[in-house]
Amino acid sequence: MDLDFLTEEVKKLARQTGEFLKKERLSFDRSRVEQKAAHDYVSYVDKTSEKHIVERLHELLPEAGFIAEEGSGSLEEQEYCWVVDPLDGTSNYIHDCMPYCVSIALRNREEILLGVVYECGREELFWANKDSRAYLNGKEIYVSDQSVLDQSFIELGFPYKAENYRSFALGLIQDLYGHVGGLRLMGAAAAEICYIAAGRFEARVEAFIGPWDIAAGYIILKQAGGKMTGFDGNPDCLGAKEVFASNGKVHEDLLKVLQRHKKLLKNE
Ligand code: IPD
């Protein structure tokens, strides 16, 4: 397998798809948004974008399967698997807010081989593969050196299924608010993980996340010097729901905070 060739093709595909998302946004029809579950939305743009991505990725590597947010392809069995979020930050997109992005990763069993995230608003292409460093628009990126939690800029993700996560989220905010450099809730997990890789944030926490939200970010963050684990500290977290990403330097301190609140989670 020529990983560099595949990476280049996926970079082109992510950028093209991002341009399509931006163009569609200009005439976006909000009446065509569907609810997958309470407060969890999908639009015709997500679906069209996924169809296009899946067709092209299938041409590139016919033997690979798919784990894609809007349901294309089958999950298990294949040695290689594309993990795709055709539009991460759907709610931001629907409301004409940023960020929103395209996220594509190639996985070989439990190893991510390559990851590409294209954030449409700032036209930022993040990528890495297992043999490369991490890049943003052609420049190498690194996580920040910040190791003090009190100075750290922390991103939170709130799962749409509020009743299971409310106590956890409120407890966490109560602990962190006033004791970190800043808290943000930006609404596009894949882009936010890349922001840690680029040194903008120190960490991101979410208690219920999909594999398509984290797969590309996982390798980009790793190759930029960062770390992703479950709330139990286990780096084997690609199938986990509770996922914590950081610059690596605040990981242990924030993990202690998470573990204090973990018992408040009502997971399915
Ligand atoms: C969502 C976003 C959001 C995160 C949710 C995801 P989607 O993805 O990444 O930031 O908090 O858990 O589901 O639905 O916009 O692709």
Side-chain angles (χ1 to χ4, degrees):
M1 170 182 297
D2 184 341
L3 197 53
D4 288 333
F5 169 76
L6 280 179
T7 306
E8 285 308 310
E9 292 303 309
V10 174
K11 282 162 64 181
K12 278 187 227 161
L13 179 60
R15 208 185 272 279
Q16 270 169 16
T17 309
E19 293 316 312
F20 165 78
L21 296 178
K22 275 168 74 168
K23 188 167 142 282
E24 287 297 311
R25 182 52 245 173
L26 298 174
S27 55
F28 186 67
D29 180 357
R30 216 160 145 173
S31 70
R32 291 175 64 196
V33 171
E34 297 162 42
Q35 279 216 11
K36 293 193 272 188
H39 311 124
D40 186 14
Y41 303 97
V42 62
S43 78
Y44 61 100
V45 181
D46 303 61
K47 290 180 182 174
T48 313
S49 162
E50 181 167 301
K51 186 168 178 294
H52 171 68
I53 293 173
V54 166
E55 279 169 9
R56 176 65 188 134
L57 294 177
H58 183 65
E59 280 168 19
L60 281 174
L61 198 64
E63 66 268 38
F66 288 91
I67 299 176
E69 184 176 17
E70 307 316 333
S72 308
S74 61
L75 311 191
E76 317 302 335
E77 309 301 336
Q78 287 96 334
E79 189 179 353
Y80 295 104
C81 195
W82 294 105
V83 190
V84 177
D85 193 337
L87 170 46
D88 182 43
T90 300
S91 289
N92 284 353
Y93 186 85
I94 291 168
H95 294 271
D96 200 11
C97 289
M98 292 194 287
Y100 60 87
C101 60
V102 180
S103 176
I104 304 174
L106 178 62
R107 188 168 133 174
N108 178 5
R109 305 282 180 213
E110 292 314 307
E111 184 185 25
I112 303 290
L113 301 181
L114 72 85
V116 176
V117 172
Y118 182 66
E119 195 282 298
C120 303
R122 292 173 73 176
E123 301 186 349
E124 291 191 321
L125 187 77
F126 298 88
W127 70 271
N129 69 40
K130 74 176 183 53
D131 302 323
S132 77
R133 304 299 310 239
Y135 294 88
L136 160 56
N137 289 350
K139 288 200 178 135
E140 269 188 42
I141 49 173
Y142 305 92
V143 293
S144 77
D145 282 333
Q146 184 58 258
S147 58
V148 180
L149 203 48
D150 185 65
Q151 300 299 315
S152 295
F153 207 35
I154 310 285
E155 228 294 321
L156 302 177
F158 283 3
Y160 58 85
K161 211 165 183 184
E163 67 272 22
N164 288 5
Y165 304 102
R166 183 175 287 112
S167 307
F168 168 80
L170 295 180
L172 191 62
I173 291 174
Q174 188 148 350
D175 254 20
L176 296 180
Y177 183 41
H179 301 288
V180 294
L183 287 175
R184 293 291 182 273
L185 215 166
M186 298 186 78
E192 293 154 30
I193 294 166
C194 294
Y195 294 169
I196 304 172
R200 296 174 187 167
F201 282 94
E202 271 64 51
R204 182 185 196 280
V205 175
E206 182 155 355
F208 186 85
I209 201 154
W212 40 80
D213 294 314
I214 58 170
Y218 182 93
I219 181 109
I220 295 167
L221 181 61
K222 183 171 172 227
Q223 303 302 59
K227 189 168 176 179
M228 195 185 283
T229 71
F231 287 6
D232 54 2
N234 187 349
D236 183 10
C237 64
L238 291 171
K241 291 292 173 206
E242 300 156 12
V243 172
F244 166 39
S246 85
N247 66 352
K249 286 125 191 149
V250 296
H251 211 87
E252 292 310 313
D253 284 352
L254 199 45
L255 210 50
K256 283 183 200 142
V257 179
L258 291 179
Q259 278 162 359
R260 274 207 297 279
H261 295 286
K262 197 171 152 30
K263 59 182 178 303
L264 297 173
L265 287 170
K266 295 182 205 156
N267 275 337
E268 289 150 3

